[in-house]
């Protein structure tokens, strides 16, 4: 879903992950219909103050 939010087409997402285009389109459609589910499945950005993840 993140790739779609970044503007990537379903076809390109399918190519990137080796999935069927119709499957990717269906998942995007379903998640778009249910925004709360999409929020649960979409990783949030890191809130860490350490960009290298060392500390």
């Amino acid at each position: 879903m993140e790739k779609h939010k970044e503007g990537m087409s379903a076809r390109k997402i399918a190519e990137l992950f080796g999935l069927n285009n119709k499957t990717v389109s269906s998942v995007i459609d379903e998640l778009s219909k249910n925004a709360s589910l999409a929020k649960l499945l979409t990783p949030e950005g890191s809130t860490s103050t350490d960009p290298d993840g060392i500390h």
Side-chain angles (χ1 to χ4, degrees):
M1 193 68 182
E2 194 65 31
K3 293 290 184 192
H4 181 66
K5 286 181 182 178
E6 293 171 1
M8 189 176 285
S9 70
R11 182 179 61 80
K12 288 289 186 184
I13 295 168
E15 286 178 15
L16 179 66
F17 294 104
L19 301 169
N20 182 287
N21 183 37
K22 287 187 178 190
T23 301
V24 174
S25 294
S26 295
V27 170
I28 290 170
D29 288 344
E30 286 300 314
L31 291 177
S32 295
K33 289 177 188 176
N34 189 343
S36 62
L37 178 59
K39 280 186 173 185
L40 290 175
L41 297 177
T42 304
E44 304 252 347
S46 174
T47 58
S48 173
T49 57
D50 181 13
D52 297 322
I54 297 172
H55 296 80

